[in-house]
Amino acid sequence: MSITFSRARSSVLALALGVALSLTACDAPAGTGDEAREARATTATATATEASPSTGTATETAPPDASAQPTAARAEPRPASSAAPAANLPIPAVPAEADDESREGLEAFTSHWLSLLSYSYEANDLEPLRAVSDPACTFCADAETAMAQIYQLGWALGGATTLADFSTDFVPDAAGTYTAEITTTQAEIFYFSGEGWLGSSEASPNSPYTVTARYVDGAWQLIGYTAPPVTESPEG
């Protein structure tokens, strides 16, 4: 079983690239590493479940004709688990600082954009990410392709990406584009289907990326999100 991505080395985030790396090995017999990862996936599932709102009270207090209640009132957030994909996940809120055209605003926006990326990956919902990204964003298109392939096979658990370091001179170019050098940390990702465990990809700490963005009509818009080119060591 394998998945391929266009421009994966340079423009697709580790959470999308990880699928190709991990699912390629799905036909191999499970070993000690797989068993350890399954154990970590179980822990991740339990952690996500504990962090989600409890549905017990809603069930106990629901009136006899529960079907008459508005759907939105009955839809409880359900994080992804080994048994089922996520459902009704809340969209990350925009921090107030992310509306400012300042260094702090760009940093807050970048952190928020990564939160939306993490949300879209586990919720299989790219609309919030598209809303704050340039339509020509290459990474966004590649991530959409990768995610479509993932959810054709099953679903994902984990993979949250957070901002670890941020640096910018905050000087726009002639086109009004700002550039920032960042470092991200991505949690391990686990993949499941209705038949069970599919595979996983390792956590990615301290991953460098370059972010380009513009400030338009009182809001930031991400233009590009790229990893540095991979250089191979000369033989010998």
Side-chain angles (χ1 to χ4, degrees):
M1 180 187 307
S2 63
I3 297 177
T4 58
F5 308 107
S6 61
R7 300 182 295 279
R9 294 292 292 180
S10 62
S11 61
V12 177
L13 187 66
L15 62 82
L17 177 59
V19 182
L21 299 178
S22 62
L23 295 189
T24 299
C26 285
D27 294 331
T32 303
D34 291 325
E35 293 171 357
R37 286 184 174 181
E38 286 191 59
R40 292 198 296 276
T42 300
T43 300
T45 298
T47 301
T49 301
E50 291 172 0
S52 67
S54 172
T55 58
T57 302
T59 301
E60 294 167 3
T61 59
D65 186 11
S67 62
Q69 301 302 304
T71 301
R74 292 186 290 109
E76 294 285 352
R78 185 189 70 202
S81 69
S82 58
N88 309 316
L89 294 183
I91 299 172
V94 183
E97 298 84 355
D99 291 331
D100 298 338
E101 186 178 11
S102 64
R103 181 198 180 283
E104 292 75 18
L106 180 55
E107 182 174 3
F109 168 75
T110 301
S111 181
H112 176 60
W113 190 88
L114 292 173
S115 296
L116 290 177
L117 181 63
S118 301
Y119 158 84
S120 65
Y121 184 66
E122 190 161 352
N124 192 24
D125 175 16
L126 273 164
E127 289 306 318
L129 189 72
R130 290 195 191 100
V132 295
S133 303
D134 187 278
C137 171
T138 300
F139 168 83
C140 302
D142 287 347
E144 181 174 6
T145 298
M147 287 166 58
Q149 295 181 50
I150 293 167
Y151 279 88
Q152 284 178 352
L153 293 173
W155 63 88
L157 164 65
T161 302
T162 56
L163 185 63
D165 189 55
F166 179 90
S167 176
T168 179
D169 58 11
F170 201 70
V171 177
D173 63 14
T177 300
Y178 294 85
T179 299
E181 301 300 329
I182 70 171
T183 302
T184 67
T185 296
Q186 181 200 3
E188 190 170 14
I189 315 172
F190 308 96
Y191 308 100
F192 301 93
S193 72
E195 297 179 354
W197 170 263
L198 287 178
S200 64
S201 58
E202 296 180 355
S204 302
N206 303 319
S207 299
Y209 287 92
T210 298
V211 167
T212 53
R214 66 168 66 92
Y215 194 79
V216 181
D217 298 328
W220 287 103
Q221 182 182 58
L222 184 124
I223 301 172
Y225 182 75
T226 58
V230 177
T231 57
E232 296 182 0
S233 302
E235 295 182 2

